[in-house]
Amino acid sequence: MKDMTDIDTGPLLRVEGLAKYYGSRVGCEAVSFDLHPGEVMGIVGESGSGKTTLLNCLAGHLAPDRGHVLFDRAGRMVDTVTMSEPERRMLSRTEWAFVHQHAHEGLRMNVSAGGNVGERLMGLGARHYGNIREQAVDWLGRVEIAEDRVDDRPTAFSGGMRQRLQIARNLVTGPRLVFMDEPTGGLDVSVQARLLDLLRGLVREMGLSAIIVTHDLAVVRLLADRLMVMKSGQVVETGLTDQVLDDPQHEYTQLLVSSVLQV
Amino acid sequence: MSAEQISGEYNFAYLDEQTKRMIRRALLKGLAIPGYQVPFASREMPMPYGWGTGGVQISAAIMVPEDRFKVIDQGADDTTNAVSIRRFFEKVAQVETTEKTTEATVIQTRHRIPERDLTEGQVLVYQVPIPEPLRFLEPSEVETRKMHALEEYGLMHVKLYEDIARHGEIATSYAYPVKVEGRYVMDPSPIPKFDNPKLEMSGIQLFGAGREQRIYAIPPHTQVVSLDFEDYPFQRMKAPQCCDLCGAGESYLDEVITDDAGGRMYVCSDTDFCRERREAGHVGALGVAEDAA
Ligand SMILES: [Zn+2]
């Protein structure tokens, strides 16, 4: 059996010198890192630190001004910044997934839970209603939504359920890389805990690679293997999660960890 | 509206030549890219949008003095809407008009395809209220255009999925979406899905949406496939009855309430088709033989 951390395994994602400017203001700058298969990277910082801008550049929602975002496709690293829009949109619907902070941005609120989960399958050419529905029900089960809710619209769901539905809708096609923007933001603490638990289970079970942007250190403590700390558009510290949180080197990270900063 | 109110100077078929050229260019583009929605600068017509100004502008742009023009509304030649549009062109183009499908060169229609197969050289002009088949689930015009451009049509099946989830079958019974020549998904306008198989025809089909400023087209002998699922295949669906006037068993029927006591009868929605059959001696259950009448 091959070790997951086999050093021969190349990165799934390689980010090189990524930068995005809003006029003269820095969105994010000089960001470089590798993400390996099965690895979860957390990006933390205050609001305005550039973490959301970075996430949107990585996921192809924003065009960066400089740099490359290379993604492994069948052993070849392809630059998703320069690839054609149809190709990038195809990637977004197949090998990538994006979980929005606000579930309604990632769901179709006027479509049933089953239709929401089935959309990506149908987008990839699934044309057998029975099979699509079966997979939708299976995925609802995996995110702890009862089968008898399959025909209900997300408008009838609680905040936590909506977020779980959004996750199911994203994971149904078995993506290799999931981008998450404050996935637990705005939810009650008890609901957050359940969602985090669920996410941790799915990430492990599916061997997912993920990039999670959050201001909540509890989220990265639980989910992320590695951390990247951002301030004013710059990466100020990176390292293994426990290392960074237990022994922060940069004084900004020290402030974050000591909860002196209200983030 | 009225044709009666139009007075003074106007060009043949009402529109000026420059406007006609603009519309013809859109039509040619539409024919070159079957099912693709071509934007055009819709003009004010002397009638409300709901009366089919998109179709009227197309008819006006393609009409020549030798044309024989027919107008149907839900299959009938004699509704107010059909009569008004026919009168409009009699007045502004002095073209001959007809109720006979076989004799018409241009047929403007709302909500039906004639029962009689159209032949080469005939043109069917549809009045379209909402041209965008993806609009129901995706309100953004920018996004739907991108979806068409990139052939991202999963959403169209989401709509059919929702139908089955809610009704146990594909309940969409009119404006049933089709894929044209294996490429563009298209709304055939609110014709009953019974008519969908007839979208593959020998005639030229032109679609005009006045308010939404879109034109699209299907050239003769183009492949037009109704979307469906493998386990819920497209079904044409037709009332089990026969026409009570002419006895036709294969035509699209309207249910007509005949009295206050709940009496009803089924008659062909295509009035010309029904009359032709009766004239040929066919009699339905409640019909009267022609020679006896
Ligand atoms: Zn009849």
Side-chain angles (χ1 to χ4, degrees), chain A residues 134-150:
Chain A
E134 199 178 283
Q135 287 191 68
V137 166
D138 176 51
W139 263 99
L140 290 182
R142 292 171 80 167
V143 297
E144 299 166 10
I145 296 175
E147 179 171 354
D148 63 7
R149 304 302 302 269
V150 65

Side-chain angles (χ1 to χ4, degrees), chain A residues 2-126:
Chain A
K2 215 169 178 190
D3 189 341
M4 283 282 287
T5 57
D6 189 336
I7 50 163
D8 288 334
T9 312
L12 179 68
L13 190 78
R14 169 164 285 170
V15 180
E16 293 175 349
L18 206 68
K20 173 75 186 172
Y21 303 96
Y22 299 104
S24 59
R25 198 165 66 78
V26 175
C28 61
E29 200 171 43
V31 179
S32 298
F33 67 89
D34 280 0
L35 183 77
H36 288 268
E39 195 174 32
V40 177
M41 157 92 86
I43 304 176
V44 296
E46 295 169 283
S47 63
S49 62
K51 62 188 193 301
T52 300
T53 295
L54 173 60
L55 189 74
N56 284 322
C57 285
L58 296 175
H61 299 169
L62 273 179
D65 294 309
R66 267 211 296 276
H68 305 283
V69 178
L70 305 164
F71 183 70
D72 172 59
R73 293 192 97 177
R76 212 168 61 84
M77 298 303 280
V78 291
D79 192 349
T80 63
V81 173
T82 53
M83 70 171 40
S84 70
E85 193 187 12
E87 247 185 308
R88 193 162 47 237
R89 280 175 72 109
M90 176 58 98
L91 199 61
S92 304
R93 297 203 310 274
T94 54
E95 302 195 63
W96 287 3
F98 196 102
V99 176
H100 295 263
Q101 174 180 2
H102 303 291
H104 64 87
E105 289 170 15
L107 292 172
R108 293 195 186 278
M109 299 303 281
N110 58 351
V111 166
S112 70
N116 264 290
V117 178
E119 182 173 348
R120 275 171 79 117
L121 297 170
M122 291 182 256
L124 292 180

Side-chain angles (χ1 to χ4, degrees), chain B residues 243 246 248 268 274:
Chain B
C243 172
C246 76
C268 297
C274 197

Side-chain angles (χ1 to χ4, degrees), chain B residues 48-208:
Chain B
Y49 279 122
W51 286 54
T53 56
V56 169
Q57 288 177 81
I58 290 179
S59 294
I62 63 170
M63 198 168 278
V64 293
E66 300 75 37
D67 271 321
R68 267 185 314 280
F69 190 54
K70 170 181 163 84
V71 185
I72 46 173
D73 177 12
Q74 315 257 16
D77 296 84
D78 55 5
T79 70
T80 318
N81 187 308
V83 170
S84 301
I85 292 172
R86 199 161 59 229
R87 284 217 194 111
F88 174 76
F89 281 103
E90 280 170 354
K91 181 160 172 78
V92 301
Q94 292 90 45
V95 288
E96 231 183 283
T97 55
T98 181
E99 295 194 2
K100 293 193 168 145
T101 301
T102 48
E103 288 182 359
T105 54
V106 176
I107 302 170
Q108 184 171 326
T109 182
R110 189 175 84 112
H111 298 188
R112 269 317 307 277
I113 296 176
E115 300 292 346
R116 248 322 136 244
D117 285 342
L118 298 195
T119 54
E120 233 157 89
Q122 287 185 298
V123 181
L124 187 57
V125 178
Y126 295 77
Q127 301 170 199
V128 179
I130 299 165
E132 179 49 71
L134 299 163
R135 177 69 69 245
F136 173 73
L137 291 172
E138 180 51 67
S140 157
E141 171 81 20
V142 175
E143 187 61 20
T144 53
R145 276 203 212 189
K146 205 163 271 183
M147 288 168 155
H148 283 294
L150 305 179
E151 250 180 292
E152 294 178 1
Y153 288 132
L155 196 55
M156 213 59 249
H157 273 85
V158 171
K159 185 171 185 288
L160 300 179
Y161 172 98
E162 291 293 286
D163 249 17
I164 302 172
R166 209 163 312 147
H167 307 285
E169 61 180 357
I170 299 179
T172 302
S173 56
Y174 62 91
Y176 191 105
V178 294
K179 194 165 206 181
V180 181
E181 204 65 20
R183 177 58 180 87
Y184 284 95
V185 165
M186 188 194 97
D187 184 331
S189 87
I191 58 172
K193 69 175 176 180
F194 174 84
D195 283 347
N196 272 28
K198 282 190 286 184
L199 289 161
E200 287 187 351
M201 63 158 73
S202 305
I204 295 173
Q205 299 172 83
L206 308 174
F207 299 78

Side-chain angles (χ1 to χ4, degrees), chain B residues 242-249 251-253 266-271 273-275 277-278 284:
Chain B
C242 292
C243 172
D244 284 324
L245 294 180
C246 76
S251 64
Y252 190 75
L253 302 173
Y266 291 91
V267 297
C268 297
S269 100
D270 184 335
T271 51
F273 176 79
C274 197
R275 188 197 51 224
R277 278 181 53 87
R278 279 178 280 133

